[in-house]
């Protein structure tokens, strides 16, 4: 169906009802499909925000939110989930490893390098960290992620259960691997490593959760713990100011997991007879294209907006705290 026809058909939720749509989630009410896809959009830009915290003013954030979704999220989502050219090549992404985590991770890297570091050193920042709050937040993230990944099946069946089990297994193995790598490197570890390692497993399993046997999730979790741990170490070596390691954990996790579909996916779970070598090639080329596109266009958006208006925060605003600066609290 022509894209303009689709836009006219569903504009302002026209024809979005409880009746299933044969092209979009034929197994569930179309309204549920709409809401499920809406939540993917809702989470992606806020996911990026953790990387460049403190560096954009409210105007800049709103402008980035609008143009990033229009120029990056919507096109990439269509390429992969909307019948676009990557989908026609056979590219797979079960629950957003490329559409969400790769775009957000590499988009956030572009933000970090374009906006630069925060203007005050970490020792002088007014942020308040709480391990209890971090633990609660990560627990909520775990809870939501099971629905996030299992929902990719768009029905309650063996594939949804497979995704649920694979998600849990990868989370656990990535968390343990992250801690072991930290111990072997001699850096020691703390409770934040437990939380970060588990999220690395979640991001990496997301694109392949419904396409693999749960046993493979053990290996994917181990790979996630190693790759993301070293990506974070590389970020620190480069002195990139990624406040929540969005690139190292989400970006590289989603990137790696998308490629691993070509290694661990089974034809039974893919519901196709794809040749593994061909699928691996498509996954590698596709996710590299998505990463480069997200990085380049994000950098372009920021540079254009920065040329037109002031979107960065001052040192005084960062010292005072953006909550007080923008909201008076």
């Amino acid at each position: 169906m022509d894209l303009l026809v689709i836009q006219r058909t569903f504009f302002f939720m026209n024809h979005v009802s409880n009746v299933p749509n044969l092209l979009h989630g034929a197994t569930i009410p179309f309204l549920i499909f709409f809401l499920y896809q809406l939540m993917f959009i809702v989470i992606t830009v806020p996911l990026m925000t953790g990387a460049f915290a403190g560096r954009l003013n409210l105007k800049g954030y709103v402008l980035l939110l609008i143009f990033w979704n229009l120029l990056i999220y919507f096109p990439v989502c269509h390429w992969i989930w909307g019948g676009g050219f990557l989908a026609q090549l056979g590219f797979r992404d079960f629950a957003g490893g490329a559409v969400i985590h790769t775009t957000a991770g590499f988009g956030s890297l572009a933000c970090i390098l374009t906006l630069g570091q925060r203007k005050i050193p970490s020792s002088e920042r007014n942020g308040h960290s709480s391990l209890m709050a971090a633990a609660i937040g990560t627990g909520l993230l775990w809870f939501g992620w099971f629905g996030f990944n299992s929902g990719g099946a768009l029905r309650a069946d063996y594939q949804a259960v497979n995704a649920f089990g694979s998600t849990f297994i990868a989370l656990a193995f990535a968390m343990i691997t992250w801690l072991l790598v930290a111990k072997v490197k001699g850096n020691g570890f703390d409770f934040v490593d437990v939380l970060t390692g588990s999220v690395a497993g979640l991001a990496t399993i997301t694109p392949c959760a419904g396409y693999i046997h749960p046993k493979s999730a053990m290996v994917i979790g181990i790979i996630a713990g190693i790759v993301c741990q070293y990506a974070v170490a590389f970020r620190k070596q480069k002195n990139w100011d990624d406040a929540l390691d969005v690139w190292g954990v989400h970006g590289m996790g989603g990137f790696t997991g998308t490629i691993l579909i070509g290694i661990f996916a089974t034809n039974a779970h893919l519901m196709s007879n794809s040749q593994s070598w061909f699928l691996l090639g498509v996954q590698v080329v596709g996710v590299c294209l998505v990463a480069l596109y997200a990085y380049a266009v994000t950098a372009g958006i920021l540079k254009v907006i920065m040329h037109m208006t002031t979107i960065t925060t001052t040192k005084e605003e960062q010292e005072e705290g953006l909550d007080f600066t923008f909201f008076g609290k």
Side-chain angles (χ1 to χ4, degrees), residues 250-269:
H250 293 274
M252 288 306 298
F255 184 92
T256 302
T258 302
I259 293 174
L260 292 178
I261 293 173
I263 299 174
F264 292 103
T266 68
N267 285 336
H269 291 101

Side-chain angles (χ1 to χ4, degrees), residues 43 47 129-146 171 191-192 194-196 198-199 202 244 250:
I43 194 61
L47 182 62
S129 60
S130 167
L131 286 180
M132 180 61 73
I136 293 172
T138 305
L140 292 172
L141 196 63
W142 291 359
F143 179 80
W145 218 301
F146 288 113
L171 178 162
F191 187 63
V192 174
V194 174
L195 307 179
T196 307
S198 68
V199 175
L202 290 169
L244 293 181
H250 293 274

Side-chain angles (χ1 to χ4, degrees), residues 46-57 61 108 111-112 115-120 125 241-246 313 318 322 326:
L47 182 62
M48 291 173 55
T49 308
F52 54 85
R55 278 156 279 181
L56 274 182
N57 60 29
Y61 183 73
S108 67
C111 291
I112 293 164
L115 297 173
Q117 296 206 13
R118 282 168 281 186
K119 295 179 174 65
I120 53 178
R125 292 171 192 159
D241 190 0
D242 188 342
L244 293 181
D245 278 315
V246 178
T313 55
Q318 293 180 19
L322 300 192
F326 298 151

